[in-house]
Amino acid sequence: MTTSRLPYQDPRLPTAERVRDLLERMTLSEKLGQLNQVRADQAGVALVRTQAKAGLVGSRILASTAFAGNEAQLVAELEENNTVQRIACDESRLGIPILNGRDVIHGYRTIFPIPLGQAASFDPELVEQAAKHAAAEASAHGVHWTFAPMLDIARDPRWGRIIEGCGEDAYLTSALGAAMVRGFQGVDPSEPGRVLACAKHFLAYGTSEGGRDYASGECSDHTLRNVYLEPFRAAVRAGCATVMSAFHNINGEPVSGSHYLLTRVLKDELGFQGFVISDWAAVTEMIVHGAAENDADAAVKALTAGVDMEMVTGTFVAHLEAALANGQIDAARLDDAVARVLRAKFQKGLFERPYLDTTRATSSLLSPAARATARTLATRSLVLLKNQDSLLPLAKEGRRIAVLGPLASAQGELMGSWVFDGVASDVTSIVDALGESAPKLKFSTAPLMLDAQVQAAQRADVAIVVLGESPLRTGEANNIADLSLPRDQEVLLEALYRTGTPIVAVIAAGRPLPIGSVLERAQAVLYAWHPGTEGGRAIADVLFGDACPSGKLPVTLARSLGQVPIFYNHKNGGRAVNGYYPFFAPTHHGIRPYLDELATPLFPFGFGLSYTRFGYSDISIDRSEIARDERVKVSALLTNHGERSGAEVVQCYVRDYVGSVTRPVRELKGFRRVELGPAESARVEFELGPDELAFWNNSGKREVEPGRFGVWIGGSAYAELGTEFQVR
Ligand code: NOJ
């Protein structure tokens, strides 16, 4: 225990000075301790306490299994957090506090839509707000650090982890990822109610072959940088405190052993100043990958590559002392890793406020403000895909409505995967929410037996059928080989269709499913993702028209599994002839159809209907030519031609026609959510400059190249209203 105040304990000194002072006082074993993250329950609480006293615990992960996303976890034990912290602060030689990490992915107790659903809102302010609420609830329970945002671009919906990211687009993921970082960390992460963020999984984890989680990936440096790296560049710019190195093997190297990715690209090129944590057991898994001989070898390779803290496998503590003595690791690299971890602890204000105020914990949960944000965000995440004869919105009286399908009364399932602290009973089911919203209507439900469901549909004027996925089919390690709806749901839908009662299908799912059969049978289709605690109410708000749908697809919706991978920002084929192929679509004219399937998707990226009708006209550009470092302003007139107010996510796409390397047919480079009353118009402007127009070319730089650019403004990746400009 330390008594008089030492320089590193003095909050008035600059962080760099405190880090330097502390580092100079540390023994080798204490340094390695800072690089060690232990499971809160590892080999019993008693061992963690002993290790903490010896200064061997840098961080605790408040989780109890490797399948963290899919299994119930130990709760964040408030008293135990303080007990272990007290040992670290008062009984260890230097009193360095422990950093507690936990997966707070889309909410703590108040569960927001799955990140893929949040992405459909195209609303960075609201997404930031949600992360802020999650941080407030989590930090009141002793969590200092969350392992989010997940920034993996996903182009394969078989991969269960597609739910955790923002979809297929680098620009959208960058904007929302940065918003999440700001929401978690605030301007100053040491403020109460904030947590450190962790951008993961660096890098290109979404390339796993066949959509099989943990499988290896192959990806050219060109795509790695222009697609997968972009969101991490944005997160680093937003000041994200930590980055997680992925488990997988890419281009022949496990990421957690890749000096190229962790040190050259992340730390040197992007200038990342925070620390890198390896994903769960990623260091020892290098042995299984065939990239390390044993634990000692794996530890040396991971530290040398650029991993700063090791999650749960303890090889740094066990082996790096000998490795240093043998000259296998560099002392300066080791100090750099320790300095990075200490900096984050100072940044979090842990030395000043290591303990948790346990009295704040419960009162901070499920606040009306958090619930309101969850409801608005869920509402904005809902994507209306079809609304034949304006069946929606439904009137609140005068009709008999049957609420059917396997998820009609679901509560926990609406929260989705990666929920440790959400409670099913906090969730209002869709059927209950509909009843709350329209007390004058008569709703019927039925047991999930075909005959009962059919009879309920026969006796109703409209059937709301809630289909989709169990969260158990999504998230970590949960991949599927067949993207269709579970077979029993197809059978149910067909039987309900035959009753002739109009069907409103609500799809609650963790991935974009090829729902062609649903589109054929239902008059209206609302894609709801897994919408969280307030999801039922959000769905009722939209179905009854208290809210106007405005969500847009953050991923392309394929017609069938055989089209995967299918994404809007692909390269043009060499035999692209506009209009030559049947079912021409502006982003798919370079793709040859299959003999047994079209080239175009069911719905393009960015698509989503409204209850009102928006039109785009009068595109204008302030300059026809700019220099490489200049900016151009492009705008279009958005008009609400319908009879009700609504919001439209206006999107701006760019194409660089000729480059030193080939460029995608279109790329999203701006978006804005605009609310308009009936018959109102607004001019919506986007500015395009070096950040939007540059790309990584073969000179190893991110630059703007001269030439002709196309630009389109509209309501999806198929936007037709376009113009051009030149960069000289
Ligand atoms: C493994 C997952 O890949 C990662 O996303 C998560 O943060 C860690 N486990 C910790 O639970």
Side-chain angles (χ1 to χ4, degrees):
M1 177 164 168
T2 48
T3 44
S4 63
R5 192 142 91 167
L6 297 166
Y8 75 85
Q9 294 164 325
D10 185 350
R12 292 165 309 178
L13 293 181
T15 301
E17 218 167 296
R18 298 177 78 184
V19 170
R20 199 175 327 114
D21 177 66
L22 182 49
L23 204 53
E24 276 169 11
R25 295 172 194 278
M26 293 170 82
T27 62
L28 179 55
S29 137
E30 284 164 341
K31 287 181 183 176
L32 293 174
Q34 287 307 305
L35 310 186
N36 190 28
Q37 182 181 69
V38 302
R39 274 164 57 166
D41 70 331
Q42 195 170 24
V45 167
L47 180 63
V48 177
R49 291 184 185 181
T50 315
Q51 289 175 318
K53 190 166 178 173
L56 291 178
V57 180
S59 167
R60 290 160 73 232
I61 178 165
L62 309 181
S64 48
T65 71
F67 295 102
N70 309 318
E71 283 176 19
Q73 294 291 301
L74 87 168
V75 290
E77 292 280 0
L78 306 183
E79 292 306 336
E80 183 59 17
N81 283 346
N82 275 345
T83 304
V84 180
Q85 194 70 301
R86 218 160 262 127
I87 294 171
C89 292
D90 295 349
E91 297 178 28
S92 78
R93 197 179 70 88
L94 292 166
I96 305 175
I98 292 172
L99 186 65
N100 291 330
R102 186 166 176 86
D103 289 286
V104 180
I105 306 299
H106 52 111
Y108 185 77
R109 175 72 176 263
T110 307
I111 303 300
F112 300 94
I114 54 169
L116 188 61
Q118 294 189 34
S121 74
F122 281 66
D123 192 333
E125 286 80 30
L126 207 52
V127 165
E128 177 177 339
Q129 206 52 39
K132 185 178 171 190
H133 285 300
E137 290 189 353
S139 68
H141 288 76
V143 178
H144 307 130
W145 174 27
T146 178
F147 304 117
M150 197 268 222
L151 301 177
D152 298 310
I153 300 298
R155 292 175 163 180
D156 192 332
R158 289 173 294 182
W159 191 46
R161 301 200 80 169
I162 193 171
I163 76 134
E164 291 174 55
C166 296
E168 74 187 31
D169 185 67
Y171 183 87
L172 179 62
T173 304
S174 300
L176 299 181
M180 289 179 196
V181 170
R182 290 194 298 271
F184 287 131
Q185 297 192 163
V187 180
D188 176 1
S190 74
E191 282 172 3
R194 300 293 188 171
V195 295
L196 298 180
C198 181
K200 70 185 187 185
H201 306 82
F202 191 83
L203 185 67
Y205 181 32
T207 58
S208 306
E209 286 159 353
R212 292 183 294 273
D213 202 14
Y214 313 130
S216 298
E218 291 286 335
C219 184
S220 67
D221 205 54
H222 170 78
T223 303
L224 204 70
R225 285 168 178 274
N226 283 305
V227 178
Y228 293 95
L229 184 62
E230 277 296 285
F232 288 92
R233 201 169 66 84
V236 170
R237 282 212 292 203
C240 190
T242 71
V243 166
M244 186 182 291
S245 65
F247 325 96
H248 74 308
N249 163 69
I250 180 129
N251 300 338
E253 271 189 324
V255 178
S256 298
S258 171
H259 185 267
Y260 170 65
L261 291 176
L262 298 181
T263 299
R264 267 184 55 199
V265 175
L266 177 64
K267 292 182 176 173
D268 296 348
E269 288 181 24
L270 297 189
F272 174 61
Q273 300 290 319
F275 75 83
V276 173
I277 170 113
S278 52
D279 200 349
W280 188 288
V283 173
T284 53
E285 285 173 12
M286 282 201 277
I287 304 167
V288 191
H289 282 299
E293 197 66 51
N294 49 35
D295 281 1
D297 191 26
V300 167
K301 285 180 169 149
L303 182 88
T304 307
V307 170
D308 300 306
M309 182 184 278
E310 180 189 10
M311 190 183 284
V312 305
T313 36
T315 68
F316 282 16
V317 176
H319 300 289
L320 290 185
E321 196 157 345
L324 187 67
N326 299 335
Q328 289 173 293
I329 58 164
D330 179 23
R333 164 81 267 269
L334 179 65
D335 280 358
D336 168 56
V338 180
R340 285 171 181 269
V341 171
L342 295 177
R343 209 157 43 226
K345 292 188 174 185
F346 285 118
Q347 190 187 3
K348 180 71 193 94
L350 276 188
F351 284 80
E352 285 66 53
R353 279 182 301 282
Y355 302 115
L356 172 68
D357 175 1
T358 50
T359 57
R360 261 182 59 223
T362 322
S363 60
S364 68
L365 297 176
L366 289 168
S367 69
R371 276 193 182 267
T373 301
R375 184 163 177 170
T376 311
L377 185 49
T379 306
R380 293 185 185 179
S381 75
L382 304 175
V383 185
L384 183 65
L385 294 176
K386 180 178 176 185
N387 192 14
Q388 196 181 316
D389 304 327
S390 298
L391 177 61
L392 295 178
L394 300 169
K396 287 196 179 180
E397 51 191 353
R399 274 172 166 180
R400 292 161 306 165
I401 296 190
V403 191
L404 305 171
L407 293 165
S409 309
Q411 292 179 282
E413 287 80 0
L414 294 189
M415 295 193 290
S417 181
W418 276 109
V419 169
F420 296 171
D421 303 284
V423 175
S425 58
D426 294 340
V427 182
T428 308
S429 70
I430 294 174
V431 67
D432 287 348
L434 291 167
E436 242 179 40
S437 174
K440 288 193 189 150
L441 274 181
K442 205 171 145 21
F443 293 99
S444 58
T445 54
L448 205 55
M449 312 274 283
L450 200 56
D451 300 335
Q453 295 263 313
V454 166
Q455 193 178 67
Q458 282 168 339
R459 291 178 179 173
D461 300 308
V462 176
I464 296 173
V465 186
V466 191
L467 305 168
E469 295 186 290
S470 147
L472 296 176
R473 260 180 34 136
T474 74
E476 186 176 344
N478 294 332
N479 320 306
I480 52 174
D482 180 357
L483 283 182
S484 359
L485 279 175
R487 184 174 289 278
D488 53 338
Q489 296 190 29
E490 294 282 1
V491 171
L492 172 66
L493 183 65
E494 176 61 21
L496 297 177
Y497 171 67
R498 283 166 189 260
T499 65
T501 302
I503 292 175
V504 175
V506 176
I507 313 287
R511 50 166 67 80
L513 298 170
I515 47 162
S517 59
V518 181
L519 286 158
E520 279 165 21
R521 290 170 179 76
Q523 267 87 332
V525 179
L526 187 68
Y527 215 89
W529 317 102
H530 286 140
T533 307
E534 293 292 322
R537 293 197 173 109
I539 290 167
D541 287 343
V542 165
L543 293 184
F544 287 123
D546 294 323
C548 186
S550 63
K552 299 279 190 172
L553 292 174
V555 273
T556 302
L557 218 75
R559 291 178 192 277
S560 57
L561 172 62
Q563 288 187 321
V564 170
I566 182 168
F567 45 91
Y568 84 95
N569 49 357
H570 62 88
K571 301 291 182 67
N572 223 5
R575 298 207 162 178
V577 184
N578 288 6
Y580 171 76
Y581 298 116
F583 303 98
F584 162 79
T587 66
H588 280 73
H589 53 72
I591 298 185
R592 198 174 184 86
Y594 299 89
L595 291 174
D596 56 353
E597 182 60 281
L598 301 175
T600 53
L602 213 44
F603 293 104
F605 175 87
F607 179 86
L609 299 170
S610 167
Y611 291 154
T612 187
R613 276 175 298 112
F614 288 103
Y616 290 84
S617 60
D618 193 18
I619 192 160
S620 92
I621 188 156
D622 70 336
R623 313 165 60 176
S624 56
E625 194 179 286
I626 54 168
R628 290 185 195 203
D629 58 350
E630 289 179 337
R631 305 177 72 76
V632 63
K633 288 183 183 159
V634 195
S635 66
L637 197 67
L638 174 74
T639 305
N640 180 350
H641 295 294
E643 273 91 57
R644 56 169 296 159
S645 299
E648 166 79 338
V649 176
V650 181
Q651 301 155 48
C652 177
Y653 293 88
V654 167
R655 175 161 183 190
D656 182 350
Y657 281 104
V658 180
S660 63
V661 292
T662 56
R663 307 290 301 125
V665 292
R666 280 187 182 189
E667 285 184 300
L668 183 72
K669 291 296 175 185
F671 59 85
R672 195 154 306 141
R673 194 171 179 281
V674 181
E675 305 212 11
L676 289 181
E680 270 181 10
S681 290
R683 183 154 281 282
V684 187
E685 184 178 274
F686 296 95
E687 245 191 84
L688 303 167
D691 214 37
E692 290 77 22
L693 305 178
F695 60 96
W696 297 91
N697 60 21
N698 281 346
S699 67
K701 295 196 193 105
R702 193 173 184 277
E703 5 180 69
V704 182
E705 291 187 356
R708 186 165 67 97
F709 285 75
V711 52
W712 295 266
I713 296 180
S716 82
Y718 284 3
E720 282 167 13
L721 187 67
T723 182
E724 289 191 355
F725 61 94
Q726 291 280 338
V727 174
R728 57 170 189 275

